[in-house]
Amino acid sequence: MQDVFAAIDRNRALYTERLRSLIRQPSVAAQNRGVAEARAVVTELATAAGATVQEVPTSGQSVLWIDFGGSGRRTVNVYNHYDVQPAEPLELWDTEPFDVTERDGKLIGRGVADDKGCLVARICAIDAYQKVRGVLPLRVRIAAEGEEEVGSPHLGEFVDRFESTLREADAVIWEGSKKNLAGQVEVELGGKGLLYVEFRARGSARDEHSMWGGLVPNPAWRLVRMLGALVSPDGKVQVEGFYDQVRPVDEVTVKMLDSFPFDAAGERRERSLGSWQRGIPDADASRELRLGSTSNIAGFSSGYGGPGAKTVTPATAMVKMDFRLVPDQDPAAIAQSLRTWMTGHGFDDVELEIVASQRPSRGRADHPIVDAVLRAGAELGIDCRVAPNSPGTGPIYPMCDRLGLTMVSGEAVARSTSLFHSPNEHIEAEDFIQGMKHFIATLAVYAAS
């Protein structure tokens, strides 16, 4: 593969500019901002790399089906997304978020780590291969969606329409992995599920002078008391049946995770934390991160949050909350149980909206595609380590489990320190290039297996 690697090195500036062209187009699904325009940029980049691109409409944002063709007996589906998180708070960025700024060996911009950097790296890697060697040694198709950051609510429509074509694949390579603090690539075999909800409580018809605070119901206090009852101090969700369907962790998964390196103390220091929540010991942090379900307050909004004092009893209060789920927790069943819990505990006056949901997934470590990622990494001198699943969430279940396909996260364009979803999101410039090489090497190794 040295000829292909050399082509990637020669075109480094060109490929970085292609990444810049996509970052410059905001594509914030949560704000319905620029997503269609970004889709056009991806289409242009993929077409220039020799792909046939089909835009597949859904009830939300379209999915791009990017077919690079290829020969041989293997077929691989690849998953990426072209939408990004909002850039706010803008004042915390050191650079323009919707551009690529090169500084101290880093490429900085919204989406470089999640997931535009990975998507562009894969397109460019295939471009380099085809320019040097011609037709790919296996069939490669990328499904790139535009709603991953809002829970992929319409991806199932794409799967319904393309099910027979998707089932032609032998395996799925998911959006890229990341390097940990030791520089090892974390190869993951699945992901947690998700139930994202919004609670809203109401008081007076308008904000009131707080002198009325002894009489007028305060919706912020209403939500605080509900949340305190919903999750106990030890982190246990009090909804009946929440843990009933949790799949027992098998011995293979335990051994895999126990052999997986996780620098818990280093990760705490990276976050300026003296301890993990609830006093979780460093020795237990890896299992909690990968195998534990979570209950997280993602946002709380009520009343006045500006400078100085404003004595007010707010009219409304809103909380956004996400629950990360493990196999075989069903987000739909848990949502129904949550409604029942609210009614049973006297909180039926609080409004509940289900914003997003996704089923959890955990794949196979013995599939040849996993071995291909490891062998390709070894060829490049990369230390790859396998984990049973990601602590994050993606639409793995509809794209893989539903179709009987095994997935693996592939090359690492980003690092655990890349500030995913945060201001100053970045990747290392060298990782962008190395990620291309790892991806195309994985395809070559898998084609020959």
Side-chain angles (χ1 to χ4, degrees):
M1 294 293 292
Q2 293 305 315
D3 53 345
V4 180
F5 297 163
I8 290 172
D9 289 331
R10 285 195 305 272
N11 288 286
R12 179 187 186 120
L14 172 63
Y15 292 157
T16 301
E17 188 58 34
R18 289 181 178 179
L19 173 60
R20 179 175 283 109
S21 71
L22 186 55
I23 299 299
R24 281 178 171 167
Q25 175 53 61
S27 52
V28 184
Q31 301 168 347
N32 195 24
R33 178 187 177 195
V35 184
E37 291 81 357
R39 194 157 55 241
V41 177
V42 175
T43 299
E44 182 179 353
L45 294 176
T47 302
T52 300
V53 182
Q54 180 178 354
E55 183 173 331
V56 184
T58 73
S59 300
Q61 300 294 343
S62 299
V63 176
L64 294 178
W65 183 241
I66 304 168
D67 192 342
F68 284 96
S71 60
R73 62 190 182 89
R74 299 284 199 192
T75 298
V76 170
N77 293 342
V78 179
Y79 171 85
N80 286 99
H81 61 92
Y82 57 88
D83 65 312
V84 300
Q85 284 282 323
E88 288 82 358
L90 298 177
E91 67 273 12
L92 297 183
W93 283 84
D94 297 331
T95 65
E96 165 57 42
F98 292 109
D99 200 352
V100 173
T101 301
E102 296 191 45
R103 180 181 295 175
D104 300 326
K106 295 179 172 59
L107 304 176
I108 307 166
R110 174 56 88 222
V112 291
D114 186 13
D115 172 47
K116 290 180 176 180
C118 176
L119 173 57
V120 173
R122 288 172 171 178
I123 292 172
C124 291
I126 293 173
D127 175 71
Y129 184 98
Q130 294 185 138
K131 284 180 177 176
V132 172
R133 296 194 177 187
V135 178
L136 290 167
L138 75 175
R139 293 185 65 200
V140 179
R141 301 92 58 90
I142 300 177
E145 70 151 322
E147 295 181 308
E148 193 274 346
E149 297 293 6
V150 292
S152 305
H154 302 102
L155 188 65
E157 297 175 25
F158 165 75
V159 176
D160 289 342
R161 180 173 172 182
F162 272 68
E163 181 169 348
S164 60
T165 302
L166 291 166
R167 286 184 182 275
E168 294 171 358
D170 300 291
V172 179
I173 300 179
W174 208 249
E175 59 176 300
S177 183
K178 61 184 180 297
K179 288 184 179 177
N180 59 26
L181 293 178
Q184 299 156 328
V185 172
E186 298 183 348
V187 177
E188 297 164 330
L189 307 179
K192 288 187 178 181
L194 177 74
L195 176 64
Y196 197 110
V197 302
E198 183 174 303
F199 299 108
R200 189 175 296 273
R202 302 184 186 275
S204 175
R206 60 183 181 273
D207 285 358
E208 299 280 2
H209 191 299
S210 67
M211 68 181 182
W212 290 94
L215 293 176
V216 173
N218 188 314
W221 275 119
R222 185 67 172 150
L223 290 187
V224 166
R225 293 183 176 112
M226 188 190 78
L227 295 172
L230 180 61
V231 181
S232 66
D234 64 356
K236 296 296 182 183
V237 178
Q238 300 302 297
V239 173
E240 185 177 357
F242 184 86
Y243 300 100
D244 287 357
Q245 301 304 315
V246 172
R247 182 193 307 171
V249 181
D250 59 79
E251 186 177 347
V252 172
T253 299
V254 171
K255 287 182 177 180
M256 187 189 312
L257 193 56
D258 286 349
S259 65
F260 184 85
F262 181 70
D263 183 1
E267 293 287 356
R268 280 195 295 103
R269 288 192 295 270
E270 174 67 24
R271 292 159 176 78
S272 301
L273 295 174
S275 62
W276 299 113
Q277 68 162 314
R278 307 192 309 277
I280 295 171
D282 286 345
D284 297 338
S286 181
R287 288 197 185 190
E288 183 67 27
L289 180 67
R290 301 278 175 176
L291 305 181
S293 55
T294 71
S295 54
N296 174 65
I297 296 174
F300 198 135
S301 176
S302 185
Y304 177 70
K310 181 182 182 183
T311 51
V312 62
T313 299
T316 62
M318 181 273 292
V319 165
K320 294 180 182 289
M321 193 169 184
D322 63 78
F323 301 87
R324 301 282 173 171
L325 310 177
V326 298
D328 293 307
Q329 289 179 298
D330 180 354
I334 290 174
Q336 183 58 51
S337 296
L338 178 58
R339 294 183 190 276
T340 301
W341 179 90
M342 292 171 66
T343 299
H345 286 74
F347 295 105
D348 49 337
D349 59 305
V350 176
E351 300 166 19
L352 169 63
E353 178 185 355
I354 307 303
V355 178
S357 65
Q358 199 66 250
R359 292 183 68 98
S361 172
R362 190 172 292 148
R364 293 171 44 198
D366 61 349
H367 194 282
I369 192 64
V370 180
D371 181 63
V373 173
L374 301 181
R375 288 171 56 196
E379 181 180 339
L380 288 157
I382 303 170
D383 184 2
C384 298
R385 304 298 180 94
V386 181
N389 60 269
S390 166
T393 300
I396 300 171
Y397 189 90
M399 287 289 293
C400 301
D401 300 60
R402 171 180 160 182
L403 305 174
L405 299 174
T406 290
M407 63 76 67
V408 63
S409 64
E411 72 291 351
V413 168
R415 300 193 176 197
S416 62
T417 54
S418 286
L419 299 178
F420 296 82
H421 295 197
S422 298
N424 302 313
E425 178 182 354
H426 64 272
I427 58 176
E428 301 292 327
E430 289 301 327
D431 290 343
F432 180 57
I433 300 302
Q434 187 184 68
M436 294 183 206
K437 296 176 182 179
H438 192 182
F439 175 69
I440 201 66
T442 296
L443 295 181
V445 170
Y446 187 55
S449 65

